[in-house]
Amino acid sequence: MAVGGGSGVGGGKSDEFQPFPIKDQLPGVDFCLSSAPSWPEAVLLGFQHYLVMLGTTVIISSILVPLMGGGNVEKADVINTILFVAGINTLLQTMFGTRLPVVIGASYAYIIPSISIALSRRYNVIIDPRQRFKASMRDVQGSLIVASFFTMAIGFFGFLRIIGRFISPLAAIPLVILTGLGLYAQGFPQLARCIEIGLPALVAVVFLSQYVPHWLKSRRGIFERFAVLLSVAIIWAYAEILTAAGAYDNRAPQTQFSCRTDRSGLISAAPWIRFPYPFQWGRPRFNAGDAVAVIAASFVAIIESTGTFIAASRYASATPMPPSVLSRGAGWLGVGLLVDGLFGTGCGSTASVENAGLLGLTRVGSRRVIQISALFMLFFSVLGKFGAVLASIPLPIMAALYCVLFAYVASAGLGLLQFCNLNSFRTKFILGFSLFMGLSVPQYFNQYLLVSGHGPVNTGSTWFNNVMQVIFSSPATVAIIIAFFLDSTHSYGHSSIRRDSGRHWWEKFRTYSTDTRTEEFYSLPANLNRFFPSF
């Protein structure tokens, strides 16, 4: 940024340049964590967040339910259950957890142990597919309940607070970047399943959110904040026209499933009104091996949620989270996992990456907007037919949104580079190595699983194989393990390390009461901090 004058001609003083100033709160955000837009705008923004989280909900349900033996009816019930529980967990997290504007939804981290349970030989004696589905779901429920106590212990007993105090900006950068980039397989590869719908959706969201606001400055906020709603509406209508015109009548079944707007089977299968309730599939069953694998998945979910929390705090223009707030949020993730197990969602939950990216796209980091979105989740989960209509949006359209939203989360990690000394070779090595290994190791594990049908760790113990596959299939988990270890041990004790890693910038946020802004963003409602103090 230029700060000096002079033409530099005839011996005059040449222009002087200085780096952009370091900001512990992101500037340019229209509504920060503790502020809110007008009620009509907040309701529309909340509905937009609900729409964005639907994609992952439908994808995970579509993977798990058929493997468990369920059909369209069971898939519709599971989707409604996930939405109902997501609404509860999002309200709990925004009110009593980190209090950041994050949606708590279904997590990819739990897919491997859930699939392992669904494909277990113990169900071979069950002939009726619906009974097999219920038996699989009860086993998943028991494992989620056990894992929830592990997550609650990590959070509420302060173990994550202790670890969090040693995380520097340097270690956090690979974590946040790969929390976004690690989901690249859910972007363009899924978009390309129906390129004639997915690609126009991607062009539409980029054009409406990035270019139109600069041409129509008087209506800039409308297009910046509602680009997702407008894009989905336009391309969904386009997909309806293609379907009605018979463009996919003689295409392959997979193409029809991805492109058609009437092939999901959800609308006909969903009930008009249904209230999800605890133990709706029966009494949970407990298996030690299954529980250990799900505990490993909950460990991954904590790490990936931490990356999402950091990104959300940036886009909400909040100060960095104190470790005590991070630990409190993990504890409430454990409560959410317990709710998942009680209601039977088929998988655990985590902080939604795509919704954190939407905070950046809209420049609205308001907590109230996310709480309104949670109410939409509860509403549409009960009114099944209406929710099913929205859940039938072709997934390539959602994948187009992910290409933009996951990129915003990754860029939040890149923004943390301002706190580090990028001229340090130690910094360059830790960043480059952790990012490379965070992509390379999961690629090896996933490719091996795809080719061989099992992971590279293939012992006689299924639960151990699943634990290794879950942990090392997560780019964010691999990256933070490597970055945290290197940052804690490489050149330890050298005088410049603290400044090179950016620790001195986050020092005042290590304890809750050091910075006065922390109380504004992270204090509990109704003066509950008196009874549950943060340190």
Side-chain angles (χ1 to χ4, degrees):
M1 181 172 62
V3 297
S7 63
V9 179
K13 184 179 179 182
S14 62
D15 288 344
E16 294 179 1
F17 293 87
Q18 291 183 356
F20 288 99
I22 293 174
K23 302 285 188 181
D24 50 27
Q25 287 180 262
L26 183 66
V29 174
D30 294 333
F31 295 95
C32 71
L33 175 59
S34 53
S35 63
S38 64
W39 278 103
E41 191 171 354
V43 170
L44 281 176
L45 287 166
F47 179 74
Q48 190 169 239
H49 274 278
Y50 162 73
L51 200 64
V52 164
M53 64 85 61
L54 266 179
T56 298
T57 303
V58 174
I59 291 171
I60 291 179
S61 301
S62 299
I63 292 172
L64 295 180
V65 172
L67 294 176
M68 291 179 171
N72 285 335
V73 173
E74 287 77 18
K75 184 165 78 169
D77 289 345
V78 169
I79 288 173
N80 288 337
T81 301
I82 292 175
L83 287 175
F84 187 82
V85 170
I88 295 174
N89 291 340
T90 300
L91 288 175
L92 291 175
Q93 187 65 231
T94 55
M95 293 176 68
F96 307 114
T98 60
R99 307 216 70 208
L100 288 167
V102 291
V103 169
I104 305 299
S107 170
Y108 291 105
Y110 295 87
I111 286 183
I112 291 174
S114 292
I115 289 178
S116 179
I117 293 172
L119 298 181
S120 175
R121 295 177 182 174
R122 75 188 83 144
Y123 308 119
N124 289 346
V125 296
I126 303 176
I127 299 175
D128 183 13
R130 181 161 177 81
Q131 293 303 317
R132 180 188 174 98
F133 167 78
K134 287 186 174 181
S136 302
M137 187 63 80
R138 291 200 299 270
D139 283 347
V140 174
Q141 285 183 259
S143 299
L144 290 173
I145 291 171
V146 173
S148 71
F149 292 104
F150 166 80
T151 305
M152 283 189 278
I154 290 291
F156 290 139
F157 290 163
F159 294 111
L160 192 58
R161 182 182 69 220
I162 296 171
I163 297 172
R165 286 179 174 164
F166 295 96
I167 296 178
S168 68
L170 179 58
I173 290 167
L175 167 63
V176 181
I177 290 177
L178 291 191
T179 297
L181 291 188
L183 294 169
Y184 64 88
Q186 306 304 323
F188 200 85
Q190 299 301 318
L191 177 156
R193 289 176 178 264
C194 188
I195 197 73
E196 60 266 37
I197 291 176
L199 193 58
L202 179 59
V203 172
V205 71
V206 171
F207 180 75
L208 291 175
S209 65
Q210 305 300 321
Y211 289 90
V212 173
H214 294 283
W215 296 339
L216 304 175
K217 294 188 182 297
S218 61
R219 307 216 174 234
R220 175 180 175 182
I222 295 176
F223 289 98
E224 279 187 341
R225 293 173 195 167
F226 302 110
V228 167
L229 277 180
L230 293 171
S231 301
V232 170
I234 293 169
I235 305 303
W236 193 12
Y238 167 62
E240 287 279 5
I241 294 172
L242 289 179
T243 301
Y248 305 111
D249 288 351
N250 299 315
R251 303 286 289 274
Q254 185 61 44
T255 302
Q256 294 196 36
F257 179 79
S258 298
C259 299
R260 295 183 69 99
T261 57
D262 58 358
R263 295 285 290 189
S264 67
L266 294 176
I267 299 175
S268 59
W272 282 102
I273 297 177
R274 180 181 183 272
F275 284 91
Y277 55 91
F279 309 124
Q280 58 188 327
W281 316 118
R283 188 171 62 183
R285 301 190 303 194
F286 300 91
N287 179 283
D290 295 340
V292 171
V294 175
I295 287 173
S298 70
F299 169 73
V300 170
I302 290 174
I303 290 177
E304 293 178 347
S305 294
T306 300
T308 306
F309 289 153
I310 295 173
S313 68
R314 290 295 291 172
Y315 287 131
S317 195
T319 54
M321 279 184 302
S324 58
V325 172
L326 172 61
S327 195
R328 189 175 74 195
W332 282 99
L333 279 177
V335 174
L337 199 56
L338 177 62
V339 178
D340 290 332
L342 295 176
F343 279 81
T345 58
C347 67
S349 52
T350 188
S352 169
V353 180
E354 54 267 38
N355 289 90
L358 187 56
L359 300 176
L361 181 68
T362 60
R363 302 189 189 184
V364 177
S366 170
R367 182 189 297 124
R368 180 187 296 172
V369 167
I370 300 301
Q371 292 171 338
I372 292 173
S373 77
L375 298 180
F376 276 113
M377 297 171 209
L378 295 171
F379 177 78
F380 283 113
S381 66
V382 173
L383 298 179
K385 288 287 187 188
F386 294 99
V389 170
L390 294 172
S392 64
I393 297 172
L395 292 178
I397 296 179
M398 306 306 294
L401 303 180
Y402 295 159
C403 290
V404 175
L405 301 180
F406 293 158
Y408 264 104
V409 173
S411 66
L414 292 171
L416 300 179
L417 288 169
Q418 63 181 310
F419 299 111
C420 303
N421 178 14
L422 297 180
N423 292 318
S424 164
F425 278 91
R426 175 184 180 272
T427 300
K428 293 178 186 295
F429 168 70
I430 293 175
L431 284 177
F433 185 67
S434 59
L435 286 171
F436 180 84
M437 296 302 288
L439 291 172
S440 186
V441 172
Q443 174 66 18
Y444 168 70
F445 272 76
N446 292 329
Q447 190 69 25
Y448 200 107
L449 179 64
L450 186 64
V451 173
S452 304
H454 57 78
V457 180
N458 187 31
T459 66
S461 178
T462 302
W463 67 266
F464 182 75
N465 301 340
N466 288 337
V467 167
M468 293 295 103
Q469 189 69 29
V470 165
I471 292 175
F472 292 104
S473 294
S474 167
T477 303
V478 174
I480 187 60
I481 290 174
I482 293 173
F484 183 79
F485 174 79
L486 291 175
D487 189 39
S488 301
T489 58
H490 188 323
S491 306
Y492 180 77
H494 196 279
S495 59
S496 65
I497 296 308
R498 183 172 170 273
R499 295 184 63 85
D500 288 349
S501 298
R503 293 181 188 275
H504 60 298
W505 288 107
W506 283 8
E507 192 65 40
K508 58 184 174 182
F509 304 109
R510 296 297 181 198
T511 54
Y512 184 86
S513 57
T514 305
D515 192 282
T516 56
R517 294 168 293 177
T518 301
E519 185 75 17
E520 175 191 353
F521 296 125
Y522 301 110
S523 63
L524 294 172
N527 209 18
L528 289 175
N529 275 48
R530 292 183 303 168
F531 308 103
F532 304 99
S534 298
F535 303 100

Coordinates of all heavy atoms in Angstrom, one line a residue, residues 73-84 130 133-134 269-282 343-344 377-386:
V73 N -38.0 -44.3 1.5 CA -38.7 -43.9 2.7 C -37.7 -43.7 3.8 O -37.8 -42.7 4.5 CB -39.8 -44.9 3.0 CG1 -40.4 -44.6 4.4 CG2 -40.8 -45.0 2.0
E74 N -36.8 -44.7 4.0 CA -35.8 -44.6 5.1 C -34.9 -43.4 4.8 O -34.5 -42.7 5.8 CB -35.0 -45.9 5.2 CG -35.8 -47.0 5.8 CD -36.7 -47.7 4.8 OE1 -36.6 -47.4 3.6 OE2 -37.6 -48.4 5.2
K75 N -34.5 -43.2 3.6 CA -33.6 -42.0 3.2 C -34.3 -40.7 3.6 O -33.7 -39.8 4.2 CB -33.2 -42.1 1.8 CG -32.2 -41.0 1.4 CD -31.5 -41.2 0.1 CE -32.4 -40.9 -1.1 NZ -31.7 -40.9 -2.4
A76 N -35.6 -40.6 3.3 CA -36.3 -39.4 3.6 C -36.3 -39.2 5.1 O -36.2 -38.0 5.6 CB -37.7 -39.4 3.0
D77 N -36.6 -40.3 5.8 CA -36.6 -40.1 7.3 C -35.3 -39.8 7.9 O -35.2 -39.0 8.8 CB -37.1 -41.5 7.9 CG -38.6 -41.8 7.6 OD1 -39.3 -40.8 7.2 OD2 -39.0 -42.9 7.8
V78 N -34.2 -40.3 7.4 CA -32.9 -40.0 7.9 C -32.5 -38.6 7.6 O -32.0 -37.8 8.4 CB -31.8 -41.0 7.3 CG1 -30.4 -40.5 7.6 CG2 -32.0 -42.4 7.8
I79 N -32.8 -38.1 6.4 CA -32.6 -36.7 6.0 C -33.3 -35.8 7.0 O -32.7 -34.8 7.5 CB -33.0 -36.4 4.6 CG1 -32.0 -37.1 3.6 CG2 -33.0 -34.9 4.3 CD1 -32.3 -37.0 2.1
N80 N -34.6 -36.0 7.2 CA -35.3 -35.2 8.1 C -34.8 -35.3 9.6 O -34.8 -34.3 10.3 CB -36.8 -35.6 8.1 CG -37.5 -35.2 6.9 OD1 -37.1 -34.3 6.2 ND2 -38.6 -35.9 6.5
T81 N -34.3 -36.4 10.0 CA -33.7 -36.6 11.3 C -32.4 -35.8 11.4 O -32.2 -35.1 12.4 CB -33.4 -38.1 11.6 OG1 -34.7 -38.8 11.5 CG2 -32.8 -38.2 13.0
I82 N -31.6 -35.9 10.4 CA -30.3 -35.1 10.4 C -30.6 -33.6 10.4 O -30.0 -32.8 11.2 CB -29.5 -35.4 9.1 CG1 -29.0 -36.9 9.2 CG2 -28.3 -34.5 9.0 CD1 -28.2 -37.3 8.0
L83 N -31.6 -33.1 9.6 CA -32.0 -31.7 9.7 C -32.5 -31.3 11.0 O -32.1 -30.2 11.5 CB -33.0 -31.5 8.6 CG -32.6 -31.5 7.1 CD1 -33.8 -31.3 6.2 CD2 -31.6 -30.4 6.9
F84 N -33.3 -32.1 11.6 CA -33.9 -31.8 12.9 C -32.8 -31.7 14.0 O -32.7 -30.7 14.8 CB -34.9 -32.9 13.4 CG -35.7 -32.6 14.6 CD1 -36.8 -31.7 14.6 CD2 -35.3 -33.1 15.8 CE1 -37.5 -31.4 15.7 CE2 -36.0 -32.8 17.0 CZ -37.1 -32.0 16.9
R130 N -35.6 -53.7 5.7 CA -35.9 -52.6 6.7 C -35.4 -53.0 8.1 O -34.9 -52.2 8.8 CB -37.4 -52.4 6.7 CG -37.8 -51.3 7.8 CD -39.1 -50.7 7.5 NE -39.5 -49.7 8.6 CZ -39.1 -48.5 8.6 NH1 -38.3 -48.0 7.6 NH2 -39.4 -47.7 9.5
F133 N -31.8 -52.4 8.0 CA -31.5 -51.0 8.2 C -31.6 -50.6 9.7 O -30.7 -49.9 10.2 CB -32.5 -50.2 7.4 CG -32.6 -48.7 7.7 CD1 -31.6 -47.9 7.2 CD2 -33.6 -48.2 8.5 CE1 -31.6 -46.5 7.5 CE2 -33.6 -46.9 8.8 CZ -32.6 -46.0 8.3
K134 N -32.6 -51.1 10.4 CA -32.8 -50.7 11.8 C -31.7 -51.3 12.6 O -31.2 -50.6 13.5 CB -34.1 -51.2 12.3 CG -35.3 -50.4 11.7 CD -36.6 -50.8 12.4 CE -37.8 -50.0 12.0 NZ -39.1 -50.4 12.6
A269 N -41.6 -40.1 -1.2 CA -41.3 -41.0 0.0 C -41.5 -40.2 1.3 O -41.8 -40.8 2.3 CB -39.9 -41.5 -0.1
A270 N -41.3 -38.9 1.3 CA -41.3 -38.1 2.5 C -42.8 -37.9 3.0 O -43.7 -37.7 2.2 CB -40.7 -36.7 2.3
P271 N -43.0 -38.1 4.3 CA -44.3 -37.8 4.9 C -44.6 -36.3 4.9 O -43.7 -35.5 4.9 CB -44.2 -38.4 6.3 CG -42.8 -38.3 6.6 CD -42.0 -38.4 5.4
W272 N -45.9 -36.0 5.0 CA -46.3 -34.6 5.1 C -45.8 -34.0 6.4 O -45.2 -32.9 6.4 CB -47.8 -34.4 5.0 CG -48.3 -34.5 3.6 CD1 -48.9 -35.6 3.0 CD2 -48.2 -33.5 2.6 NE1 -49.2 -35.3 1.7 CE2 -48.8 -34.0 1.4 CE3 -47.7 -32.2 2.5 CZ2 -48.8 -33.3 0.2 CZ3 -47.8 -31.5 1.4 CH2 -48.3 -32.0 0.2
I273 N -46.0 -34.7 7.5 CA -45.6 -34.2 8.8 C -45.0 -35.4 9.6 O -45.7 -36.5 9.7 CB -46.8 -33.6 9.6 CG1 -47.3 -32.3 8.9 CG2 -46.3 -33.2 11.0 CD1 -48.5 -31.7 9.6
R274 N -43.8 -35.2 10.1 CA -43.2 -36.3 10.9 C -42.3 -35.7 11.9 O -41.4 -34.9 11.5 CB -42.5 -37.3 10.1 CG -41.8 -38.4 10.9 CD -41.1 -39.4 9.9 NE -40.5 -40.5 10.7 CZ -39.3 -40.5 11.2 NH1 -38.6 -39.4 11.1 NH2 -38.9 -41.6 11.9
F275 N -42.4 -36.0 13.2 CA -41.5 -35.5 14.2 C -40.5 -36.5 14.5 O -40.8 -37.6 15.0 CB -42.3 -35.1 15.5 CG -43.0 -33.8 15.4 CD1 -44.3 -33.8 15.0 CD2 -42.4 -32.6 15.8 CE1 -45.0 -32.6 14.9 CE2 -43.1 -31.4 15.7 CZ -44.4 -31.4 15.3
P276 N -39.2 -36.3 14.2 CA -38.2 -37.2 14.6 C -38.1 -37.3 16.2 O -38.4 -36.3 16.9 CB -36.9 -36.6 14.1 CG -37.3 -35.7 13.0 CD -38.6 -35.2 13.4
Y277 N -37.8 -38.5 16.7 CA -37.8 -38.6 18.2 C -36.7 -39.6 18.6 O -36.3 -40.4 17.7 CB -39.2 -39.2 18.7 CG -39.7 -40.4 18.0 CD1 -39.4 -41.7 18.6 CD2 -40.4 -40.4 16.8 CE1 -39.8 -42.9 18.0 CE2 -40.8 -41.6 16.2 CZ -40.5 -42.8 16.8 OH -40.9 -44.0 16.2
P278 N -36.2 -39.5 19.8 CA -35.1 -40.4 20.2 C -35.5 -41.9 20.1 O -36.7 -42.3 20.4 CB -34.9 -40.0 21.7 CG -35.4 -38.6 21.8 CD -36.6 -38.6 20.8
F279 N -34.6 -42.7 19.8 CA -34.7 -44.2 19.7 C -35.8 -44.6 18.7 O -36.5 -45.6 18.9 CB -35.0 -44.8 21.1 CG -34.0 -44.3 22.1 CD1 -34.5 -43.7 23.3 CD2 -32.7 -44.5 22.0 CE1 -33.6 -43.3 24.3 CE2 -31.8 -44.1 23.0 CZ -32.2 -43.5 24.1
Q280 N -36.0 -43.8 17.6 CA -37.0 -44.1 16.7 C -36.7 -45.4 15.9 O -37.6 -46.0 15.3 CB -37.2 -42.9 15.7 CG -35.9 -42.6 14.9 CD -36.1 -41.3 14.1 OE1 -37.1 -41.0 13.7 NE2 -35.0 -40.5 14.0
W281 N -35.5 -45.8 15.9 CA -35.1 -47.1 15.2 C -35.0 -48.2 16.1 O -34.7 -49.4 15.7 CB -33.8 -46.9 14.4 CG -33.6 -45.6 13.7 CD1 -32.7 -44.7 13.9 CD2 -34.4 -45.2 12.6 NE1 -32.8 -43.6 13.0 CE2 -33.9 -43.9 12.2 CE3 -35.5 -45.7 11.9 CZ2 -34.4 -43.2 11.1 CZ3 -36.0 -45.0 10.8 CH2 -35.5 -43.7 10.5
G282 N -35.2 -48.0 17.4 CA -35.1 -49.0 18.4 C -34.0 -48.7 19.4 O -33.4 -47.6 19.4
F343 N -31.1 -39.8 18.5 CA -32.1 -39.7 17.5 C -31.8 -40.6 16.3 O -32.8 -41.0 15.6 CB -32.2 -38.2 16.9 CG -33.0 -37.3 17.8 CD1 -32.4 -36.7 18.9 CD2 -34.3 -37.0 17.5 CE1 -33.2 -35.9 19.7 CE2 -35.1 -36.2 18.2 CZ -34.5 -35.6 19.4
G344 N -30.6 -41.0 16.1 CA -30.3 -42.0 15.0 C -30.1 -41.3 13.7 O -30.9 -41.5 12.8
M377 N -34.1 -25.3 9.7 CA -33.8 -26.8 9.7 C -34.9 -27.5 10.5 O -35.4 -28.6 10.1 CB -32.5 -27.0 10.3 CG -31.3 -26.4 9.6 SD -29.8 -26.6 10.5 CE -28.9 -25.2 9.9
L378 N -35.3 -27.0 11.6 CA -36.3 -27.6 12.5 C -37.7 -27.6 11.8 O -38.4 -28.6 11.8 CB -36.4 -26.9 13.8 CG -35.2 -27.0 14.7 CD1 -35.3 -26.0 15.9 CD2 -35.0 -28.4 15.2
F379 N -38.0 -26.5 11.1 CA -39.3 -26.4 10.5 C -39.4 -27.4 9.3 O -40.4 -28.1 9.2 CB -39.5 -24.9 10.0 CG -40.7 -24.7 9.2 CD1 -41.9 -24.5 9.8 CD2 -40.7 -24.6 7.8 CE1 -43.1 -24.3 9.1 CE2 -41.9 -24.3 7.1 CZ -43.1 -24.2 7.8
F380 N -38.4 -27.4 8.4 CA -38.5 -28.2 7.2 C -38.3 -29.7 7.5 O -38.7 -30.6 6.7 CB -37.6 -27.8 6.1 CG -38.0 -26.5 5.4 CD1 -37.3 -25.3 5.6 CD2 -39.1 -26.6 4.6 CE1 -37.8 -24.2 4.9 CE2 -39.6 -25.4 3.9 CZ -38.9 -24.2 4.1
S381 N -37.7 -30.0 8.7 CA -37.5 -31.4 9.0 C -38.8 -32.0 9.5 O -39.1 -33.2 9.3 CB -36.5 -31.6 10.1 OG -36.9 -31.0 11.3
V382 N -39.7 -31.2 10.0 CA -41.0 -31.7 10.5 C -42.0 -31.7 9.3 O -42.7 -32.7 9.2 CB -41.5 -30.8 11.6 CG1 -43.0 -31.2 12.0 CG2 -40.7 -30.9 12.9
L383 N -42.0 -30.7 8.5 CA -42.8 -30.7 7.3 C -42.1 -31.3 6.2 O -41.4 -30.7 5.3 CB -43.2 -29.2 6.9 CG -44.0 -28.5 8.0 CD1 -44.3 -27.1 7.5 CD2 -45.3 -29.2 8.3
G384 N -42.1 -32.7 6.2 CA -41.2 -33.5 5.3 C -41.4 -33.2 3.8 O -40.4 -33.1 3.1
K385 N -42.6 -33.0 3.3 CA -42.8 -32.8 1.9 C -42.1 -31.6 1.4 O -41.5 -31.5 0.3 CB -44.3 -32.8 1.5 CG -45.0 -34.1 1.6 CD -44.7 -35.0 0.5 CE -45.6 -36.3 0.6 NZ -45.1 -37.3 -0.4
F386 N -42.3 -30.5 2.2 CA -41.7 -29.2 1.8 C -40.2 -29.3 1.8 O -39.5 -28.8 0.9 CB -42.2 -28.1 2.7 CG -43.6 -27.8 2.6 CD1 -44.5 -28.3 3.5 CD2 -44.1 -27.1 1.5 CE1 -45.9 -28.1 3.4 CE2 -45.5 -26.8 1.4 CZ -46.4 -27.3 2.4

